[in-house]
Each structure stands twice: as structure tokens, then as C-alpha cells.
Amino acid sequence: MMKCICSGEQLRIEDIIPSSESLATRDYSASGYSSRAGDDTKADTSNIEEAESSLRESGILNYEEARALLGRLEYQKGNIEAALHVFEGIDIAAVVPKIKLSIARRGEVPRRNSLSDAIPPMSMHAVSLLFEAILLKATSLQALGRFTEAAQSCTVILDTVESALPDGLPENFSTDCKLLETLNKAVELLPELLKLACVPQEAILSYRRALLYCWNLDVETRSKIEKEYAVFLLYSGTDAAPPNLRAQAEGSFIPRNNIEEAILLLLVLLRRYILNKIVWDPSILDHLSFALSIAGEFRALARQVEELLPGIVVRRQKYTILALCYYAEGDDMAALNLLRNLMNNRDNKNGIFELVLAAKICAEYPNLLEEGMGYARKVLPKIEGKCNQMASVAKCLLGLLLSGRSRAIVSDSERTSRLCEALESLDSAHKMTRGRNPNVLFYLSLENAEQRKLDIALYYAKQLLKLEGGSTVKGWLLLARILSAQKRYIDAESIINAALDETGKWNQGELLRTKAKLQIAQGHLRDAVETYTHLLAVLQVQRKSFGVQKKLVKNMRNNSRSLEMETWHDLANVYTNLSQWRDAEVCLIKSEAIDPHSASRCHSAGLLYQARGLHKEALQSFQKSLDIEPNHVPSLVSTAIVLRQLDGQSLPVMKSFLTDALRLDRTNPSAWYNLGLVYKSENGVSALEAAECFEAAELLQESAPVEPFR
């Protein structure tokens, strides 16, 4: 046998002398790769049977097969370097053509009574043995950290099979389970080796190769590869190159980016589980939730969760996921009803996260503020002293709920009490987070600003900007608005300019609009027109860019259209002040094309009529605005003003409109001023009330920002 190994000649069965000593030991003793002295070198029974099987088939044991058997023996004993030394002695370049021809012959459809069918140069058993040797060589190189070489070795197996059978392995390709097992392992191993070798694009191509070529993979192996590929697409930070179109069936879906490709793979896995082909893996739902959330497909995620078989996800988790999905889609009431049903259950009524989420939803609806306060107050006793992070969130939400509820309170004393309680809750949340929570800082600054505590609001706004490093637009905007309320317009415009330098083009819309408002406040109307024109140009380019996107930018696209419409209204108001009636009308026509049923557009049209002295037409426009949005404060105030201009005797009606406006916005200086005029017109009976209204209007006007704080 040693002569065979050294010379490369073939050795017949009858020439083999059985020996319990490892042939590999004798082969490597001089090289320093042999097993340690005293090790048991007896080959295990399975390896002996493998060797005997190979010998019976061909009657000879050639050099490569002997190397393959010896290498496997050393590998199984843990002698990685010795095994690698044996495998490197196999002339792969010489055996690959024989393997390729043997596989091609095996994959051919047998022809009846054909005399041209030649006997393949190698048996399938020999092919399996050599493939296993190449695979073990790859795993040996992997164990030694030589990942690139390992990947090259593993690629040899796949390239050989693909070139021999370009259309894929037939279903009945081989009864040799060992060969299919080796192929499965090679297909699964190659992407891992390429990832370790730090060549992500090649790893992606190997994953696609594994899934697109017919390797006759078993369901478990294929599912494992699909999951690992999806995880790699989601979290590797590598942008996958577009798939080869030649590999796609006509009319099939072609993913355009990592997220879509990962979602497709995870949905296939989920469907395979529903068909009871694989065991459940909870991480599939976790990764799918992440992928669909990133893509903005929350309703699709909800649909997938709803289709899960009973028992896979516990009721509380299922309801919570569905509530989050519907909340993200803007269906707040569906989300809140799910949370209510969950909390009405005796087993789930104390869910902290669910209570906080319900309180957050309620904070956005005036008629649900009391309910939200109940949820927030129910959370606090459960977590105070245990989790300051969650307690601070609950305290912050309670402050927002109290502040919102105070706006609907008529009594000044009760309203003041609620506002003080709101500030206390926000301040408590600030202390719990040691001033490191940007949301708490934002709302603390906002609440102080709305209560006209501008110096305190400015301090917190600066702390917010410092904490975030200017990374969010809302922090810049709040600071600029507070400065504008202090009549520091030049400083506020400098802040906006700094924010524009730090912000990407697509996020500059609100900043540019605020800059235009600051220019108007300084009397620079022409500059404001130029700024608005720049803003509209940015929005137009942005809209065209979004045209090639999908739901990932749905919310941004909606916000862009709303901002564009309000910009046309602002520009129309500027042209109205400049007495450029035709330009103002063009702006309103542009706005109407975006949304013909806009209360803000009707109000701007009314201001245009009013400036032109057409008071009846102005009144009709304001009334149309209130028909669309009954609580539109500017239209309520403007209606009262036009009524006074048309008929000074309609004092009760005017007072009704103004009191409604103040009920909705108690910081509106125009409403206070015009209410004072109404009281003054009542034959001096309400002189004290008029004086109080004028005083309130003056104080509020002195601290009014160019745009509402909230």
C-alpha cells in the first residue's frame, strides 16, 4: 500500500496485506503530522467497510481514492493538519474531468439496447469518496482560518456538478445517499466560507446559486440556507447586486433590493411551515417583522400574523404585534380596540407595554385624553422604582395628556392646575432620565413655550439640540420658533440657516417654510417669495423621485403633498399682502389641484376677497372653510372680522365665533383683540371685559411665534 501511495500506481485487492496500523501514520511519521505515540490507530468499522466497498466495486484502489480514505481517517481522529496534508496530495485537476464525465453519464436518460453507452470512468461510490475528500479539505482549511482557500476547494465540487449537469440534478440522480449528503453540505458551506473571507457580494451570489440550481436539497437544508441568506441580506450592511435575469422565469417577481429579497425568502419559509413541511422557528417571525417594518408594509405583516396557526404566538404577543401594525398604518382606533380587548382579559390587564401604547394613542385624540390618563396612571405604580426608563415614558405621556386635557377646560383655575401638573410630570420624567431623553426634553421645552415661559423653554431647547447634535429637524424648528417668540428674528433665521447646512435636501421643507415666515415677520416679503419658490422646487424634485419608490416612502410622500399645499397658501397670502391679485389666484389654483377640499385654501381665498374689498365673497369662502373643518381657528376669527365689516350689529354671532376660536386656541392674539372690539361695541357695558381682552391680546402678541409651537 505504501508503494501505491508513493508511486501513484494502482494496487490490486490480493496485494493488500491487512494491518491494524494506520497507513496514514506510516505516511506522515517523517513529516511530523502523524498521530501521537500511543494513540489508538485502529480504523473504525465504518471506514473499513467503506474501503472494502470501494475495493469490491473496481477491484483496484487508485492513488486518489487511497488518499481520500486516509485523509478521512485522520480528519475523524482530529488530526486536521495531517488530514489536510493527505488531501493536498490528491491531484484534483486530474480527477475532476473523470468525475465530471461520470456524473454526466449517470445523469443521462438510459437508452434501450444502445451499444454506444460507454462505462463511466468512475463509479458513483468513487465520486462520492473524492467529493467527500474535497469537502473535508475545505472544512480543514476553515478550521485553520484559511477561508479563501477553503471556499475555492468547496467551489470545485459545485462547479464540477453544474458543468456536468447544467439543467440540475435529476430527482433519481443517485441512490448513493452519501453523495447527496456531501453535495448538500458543500452547498450550505460555501456561503459561510465566503462571508468569513469577507467577500459579501460573492457570498450573495453563492446563496442565489444554492437556491436557483436544482441540487436536490432536502427541505431542512434548503430552509436553513434561505433563512441564513435572509438574515445576511437584512443585517450585513451590503447592498446585493441585482439578480441575474436569465435565472428568472418569465413573469416572476424580481426583488429590487435587499429588503424585498429577504421578505420573499421569509414568506417562503413561513408558507412552508404553514404547510407543515418544517418545524416552527420563532426567529422567522422576528426577522419578517423587522423586514416588513423597514419596508413600511405593516398591514402585510398584520395579515401574516393573523394567518399563523393557533398556538404559535401567544394571544398577548399576537394582539400587541397587530396593534403596533395598525398603529403604524395610521389605523389608531383598530389598534386601540385590540389593546382594549387585551386589557379587558383578566390575564393581560397588567401589561405595562400595552398600557403605555394605549396611553400614547389616546394622547393624539382630544376625546380620549381622560381614558389615556387612566392608562398612564395605572402604569406608574407598577414600574416606579423598578424601571426608570419605562416610568419616564409614562410620566411624559401623562404630562402630554394633562396638557391636552387642559385646553378643553373652561375654568381658568382648573386649567392652570392641570397645566402645572403637566409640567410637574414632564419635569419628573426629565429627572428620571437625567436629562438624556430627547423626547422628554422636546416636550418639556414645548410645554414651557406654550405657557409663554420662553426663557425656560429656550434653555431646554438648547439642551435638546446639544444632546441630539442637531440630528433632528424638530429640534431646530422649536429653537427657531422660541427665538421668534422673543422677537429675535435674526437669531432665529441664523438657526434655520445652520439647520439647512446640516440637513439633507429631502428634510429641508419645514425649515424653508419657517425661514420664509421669519422673513415675512421682518417685512422682507420679496425674500420670502424667493424662499417659497425654492421650497416648491425642492418639493417638485422630491415628488418625482418618490414616483419610482413604493410604500417605503408613503408617509414622506403624504407629508410632502401637505407641505406643498400649505406652501401655495402661504405664497398666496404673501401675494395678497403685496396686492398682486393675479399671482395669488394662480397659487390657489395650484393648491386646488392638490386638494380641492382644503379648509386652509378656502381661508386663503377668503383673505384675498377681503383684501380686494369683496366682503360677501370673503364670508362665503370662510363659511365654506368651516363646513370642511368646523374647528378651523383662522376661519372662525376671520368670519367674525368680516361680519363686523359687513354688519356691526351682529355682535352675538361675532362673539360666538370668537369664543369658539378661543376655546380651541387660547393663545390666539387676533381672537382676543377682536373679542375686545366686540365688548367695546356693546355700548360700554362690557368695558372691563374689553380691556382684559386687549391686555391679553397685547401680551400674547408680544410672545407670539411666527409659527405655532406645536
Side-chain angles (χ1 to χ4, degrees), residues 196-340:
L196 292 170
C198 298
V199 281
Q201 288 297 340
E202 292 186 26
I204 288 170
L205 292 176
S206 68
Y207 273 123
R208 289 174 177 166
R209 178 187 196 178
L211 298 174
L212 293 175
Y213 184 80
C214 181
W215 296 104
N216 285 354
L217 298 174
D218 57 83
V219 177
E220 291 77 12
T221 302
R222 185 176 185 85
S223 299
K224 184 179 179 182
I225 293 172
E226 288 170 343
K227 178 190 167 185
E228 290 173 350
Y229 183 28
V231 170
F232 186 71
L233 288 169
L234 289 174
Y235 312 115
S236 67
T238 302
D239 289 331
N244 186 352
L245 296 180
R246 290 179 297 176
Q248 305 293 331
E250 185 178 353
S252 63
F253 172 75
I254 301 175
R256 296 176 297 178
N257 52 52
N258 288 33
I259 302 297
E260 287 188 357
E261 195 167 358
I263 289 171
L264 182 63
L265 291 165
L266 293 167
L267 288 175
V268 168
L269 288 170
L270 194 61
R271 189 62 52 191
R272 195 172 292 150
Y273 163 72
I274 292 174
L275 296 175
N276 203 26
K277 293 183 178 180
I278 58 173
V279 297
W280 174 243
D281 181 356
S283 66
I284 293 175
L285 183 59
D286 295 337
H287 297 310
L288 183 61
S289 299
F290 173 77
L292 288 171
S293 299
I294 291 297
E297 296 286 350
F298 299 102
R299 197 169 294 277
L301 175 57
R303 188 163 57 250
Q304 294 301 322
V305 173
E306 288 170 347
E307 290 178 359
L308 288 176
L309 298 176
I312 295 301
V313 180
V314 296
R315 184 174 183 268
R316 176 180 173 182
Q317 183 185 3
K318 184 174 183 178
Y319 273 50
T320 303
I321 293 174
L322 291 174
L324 286 169
C325 289
Y326 287 121
Y327 178 63
E329 279 287 335
D331 195 349
D332 296 348
M333 290 301 101
L336 185 59
N337 287 332
L338 283 166
L339 294 171
R340 286 168 175 164

Side-chain angles (χ1 to χ4, degrees), residues 2-49:
M2 283 300 297
K3 292 178 181 178
C4 171
I5 295 175
C6 295
S7 66
E9 296 177 358
Q10 294 178 342
L11 186 65
R12 296 193 176 277
I13 299 175
E14 56 267 21
D15 296 332
I16 298 176
I17 302 174
S19 171
S20 61
E21 184 180 1
S22 171
L23 295 173
T25 303
R26 299 204 308 249
D27 191 27
Y28 315 127
S29 58
S31 304
Y33 290 111
S34 64
S35 304
R36 293 190 302 268
D39 283 354
D40 182 10
T41 59
K42 183 178 180 180
D44 60 35
T45 306
S46 63
N47 292 324
I48 293 173
E49 291 175 352

Side-chain angles (χ1 to χ4, degrees), residues 481-544:
R481 288 167 183 171
I482 293 170
L483 289 170
S484 73
Q486 294 178 327
K487 308 309 175 190
R488 296 166 58 183
Y489 298 126
I490 296 177
D491 292 340
E493 191 170 352
S494 298
I495 289 293
I496 294 297
N497 289 332
L500 290 170
D501 292 337
E502 297 291 328
T503 308
K505 279 286 185 184
W506 291 166
N507 297 320
Q508 291 183 354
E510 289 291 346
L511 293 170
L512 288 169
R513 187 182 183 201
T514 301
K515 181 178 180 178
K517 294 285 185 70
L518 289 167
Q519 291 168 334
I520 292 171
Q522 297 173 75
H524 304 154
L525 298 185
R526 297 295 179 184
D527 292 340
V529 170
E530 185 177 344
T531 303
Y532 280 129
T533 304
H534 180 202
L535 171 55
L536 289 169
V538 170
L539 292 174
Q540 185 177 12
V541 174
Q542 188 182 53
R543 185 173 65 253
K544 290 181 179 178

Side-chain angles (χ1 to χ4, degrees), residues 249 271 319 378 436 551 644:
R271 189 62 52 191
Y319 273 50
K378 193 180 292 185
R436 308 303 297 174
K551 202 168 182 177
R644 185 170 178 273

